[in-house]
Amino acid sequence: MRITIIAGARPNFIKIAPIIDAIKVSIIGGIDISYRLVHTGQHYDKNMSESFFKQLGIPVPNVNLECGGGTQAEQTANIMIKFECELMENPTDLVVVVGDVTSTMACTIVAKKLNIKVAHVEAGIRSGDITMPEEINRIVTDSLSDYFFTTSRKASENLLKQGVDSKRIFFVGNTMIDTLIKQRTKFIQPEIWNLVGLEEKNYIVLTLHRPANVDGEYKLKELLEEIEKQSRGLNIIFPVHPRTAKKLTEIGFTCPNMYFVEPLSYLEFNYLVEKAKCIITDSGGITEETTVLGIPCITLRDSTERPETVTVGTNELIGTDPSAIAPCMNILFSDKWKKGDIPELWDGKTSKRIIDALINLSV
Ligand code: UDP
């Protein structure tokens, strides 16, 4: 079986690393399986791409389509044009896409138009918020895919409701957590630790990159002011996503205990997360990691496609109104944050389950 694996953006790299590891184990075990890794180039900065390949031991991609930048439509179109050539020159039996980024959707459309089977890893999750580009990517990808690997029973149910045949849905767990569990003993202290003099459980990590929080004229400033006000003077470390960086320069926000840093490498970022008092974020993947690490997580969004991080894990969804931050911080600072549990099958063995299922299907 020949598999083409797609990776385009930061969260993709974390999700594909263990899948490639599982394929390598099958190859060593004598299974007739091979893979070709396609990087679409959606994220291209060194600290949004290259550092993940190095730290997570991901092989150098067979090809980089270099489709960074542009509007949603420009990027989708560029990826589609280049991926079509790639597939014609390098025939495959199956395209594996992960997550919900533009590359996931664009490559799925191209593969299906060439009558190639597609497996979607992290299928079926839904926020119900169609204003999120990721939700559109999820809906389109899941309406075309052949095999669906899900992170939760809820995601499988969403697919069943959509009319997907249950035989094509595989509840396997979370490949992002495979990576977390494998790398947990190797986290690296980032430079900022000593520069600021950070102490365990005595600082906050902040990440924001969703359009609803960072694109508006005043929203970002209001949120940052309120987070600072409610932080009880703790240091706040804010690794700034490239799409947020521009807005931050425009609003010119500064405060003495908030440190804006470049996006961190995976091992450095999760070192900070594991020792933090709490994380404030609008990321999806980070709510899953904090759930497994048992760290309080405050999500500044109105909806989540990962409800198990709230119902089972340590995440609270508080919306994007700054006034919701104070009550939440009161709970945190009175040490009454929920302890949380680990969602079903988030056990570090998901990628093996995926590859075993694909081998059984003999696509
Ligand atoms: N991450 C990282 N460095 C950072 C911020 C995040 O390595 O400075 C990792 C984080 O551990 C998680 C992933 O990036 O695995 C989440 O990516 P992002 O928030 O961009 O995407 P989302 O999950 O919201 O789709």
Side-chain angles (χ1 to χ4, degrees):
M1 177 179 22
R2 297 163 304 176
I3 300 180
T4 294
I5 301 171
I6 309 299
R10 177 169 69 184
N12 287 174
F13 309 138
I14 297 144
K15 290 165 197 170
I16 61 152
I19 297 177
I20 293 176
D21 286 346
I23 294 176
K24 285 182 182 163
V25 170
S26 297
I27 293 172
I28 292 167
I31 307 282
D32 179 20
I33 186 169
S34 64
Y35 74 93
R36 184 172 165 81
L37 178 56
V38 175
H39 190 327
T40 64
Q42 191 182 328
H43 278 167
Y44 48 88
D45 289 353
K46 195 167 176 225
N47 51 19
M48 293 296 284
S49 174
E50 197 186 314
S51 78
F52 293 86
F53 281 76
K54 282 201 179 131
Q55 288 193 340
L56 305 181
I58 307 169
V60 177
N62 296 87
V63 62
N64 189 321
L65 305 182
E66 294 179 350
C67 296
T71 64
Q72 290 277 329
E74 283 164 350
Q75 196 167 68
T76 305
N78 286 338
I79 296 170
M80 286 180 70
I81 293 164
K82 295 209 179 153
F83 187 53
E84 186 178 53
C85 295
E86 152 66 26
L87 275 185
M88 306 236 263
E89 283 164 21
N90 299 285
T92 189
D93 302 310
L94 176 77
V95 171
V96 173
V97 295
V98 297
D100 53 18
V101 301
T102 305
S103 306
T104 313
M105 174 187 73
C107 293
T108 300
I109 298 173
V110 171
K112 290 314 298 170
K113 291 219 171 194
L114 291 173
N115 286 323
I116 298 168
K117 293 218 178 323
V118 172
H120 184 201
V121 174
E122 201 185 89
I125 60 173
R126 296 286 183 275
S127 67
D129 177 0
I130 201 70
T131 65
M132 289 175 71
E134 293 88 347
E135 185 75 350
I136 298 173
N137 298 338
R138 293 177 196 125
I139 291 170
V140 174
T141 303
D142 285 341
S143 66
L144 293 172
S145 293
D146 297 276
Y147 308 113
F148 302 82
F149 293 99
T150 66
T151 49
S152 67
R153 290 190 190 277
K154 171 84 180 137
S156 300
E157 279 165 26
N158 291 339
L159 292 166
L160 288 170
K161 271 191 220 147
Q162 186 191 298
V164 176
D165 180 351
S166 62
K167 290 194 201 71
R168 296 196 283 137
I169 303 172
F170 304 84
F171 168 42
V172 287
N174 195 325
T175 67
M176 201 169 218
I177 301 308
D178 287 4
T179 294
L180 188 73
I181 291 173
K182 181 175 172 194
Q183 303 295 338
R184 195 170 180 177
T185 54
K186 301 176 202 153
F187 293 163
I188 298 170
Q189 189 179 85
E191 228 182 349
I192 189 83
W193 187 274
N194 286 330
L195 279 177
V196 176
L198 295 177
E199 287 167 16
E200 202 157 325
K201 303 291 168 219
N202 212 18
Y203 62 93
I204 294 168
V205 177
L206 172 65
T207 82
L208 293 172
H209 70 281
R210 301 263 167 236
N213 289 330
V214 307
D215 283 1
E217 193 66 5
Y218 304 110
K219 191 68 172 189
L220 183 59
K221 194 159 190 232
E222 271 180 9
L223 283 171
L224 294 181
E225 279 169 357
E226 188 60 18
I227 290 167
E228 193 269 324
K229 198 165 141 203
Q230 301 304 330
S231 65
R232 316 290 203 269
L234 292 196
N235 288 314
I236 303 164
I237 311 299
F238 185 179
V240 181
H241 192 283
R243 82 184 306 275
T244 313
K246 226 173 106 211
K247 203 64 183 182
L248 268 180
T249 318
E250 272 170 47
I251 63 172
F253 177 86
T254 55
C255 101
N257 60 323
M258 193 176 286
Y259 295 86
F260 302 97
V261 297
E262 295 276 311
L264 293 167
S265 71
Y266 181 82
L267 297 179
E268 290 174 313
F269 181 73
N270 282 289
Y271 181 99
L272 274 193
V273 170
E274 196 181 27
K275 295 183 170 22
K277 175 80 178 166
C278 84
I279 315 301
I280 304 177
T281 190
D282 57 11
S283 159
I286 292 171
T287 65
E288 299 181 332
E289 291 163 344
T290 45
T291 278
V292 171
L293 295 173
I295 303 298
C297 180
I298 298 169
T299 297
L300 301 179
R301 284 178 53 191
D302 294 320
S303 59
T304 177
E305 60 290 331
R306 294 160 162 95
E308 63 282 0
T309 62
V310 178
T311 55
V312 180
T314 53
N315 184 23
E316 283 296 353
L317 193 65
I318 67 162
T320 63
D321 185 337
S323 67
I325 295 171
C328 207
M329 295 299 250
N330 288 340
I331 298 173
L332 179 78
F333 284 104
S334 55
D335 287 329
K336 291 197 181 121
W337 201 266
K338 58 185 172 182
K339 295 282 168 264
D341 218 329
I342 301 199
E344 194 180 354
L345 295 185
W346 291 18
D347 58 1
K349 297 175 187 150
T350 296
S351 302
K352 180 176 179 343
R353 285 192 277 270
I354 292 172
I355 297 306
D356 286 351
L358 289 175
I359 292 167
N360 275 339
L361 286 162
S362 18
V363 177

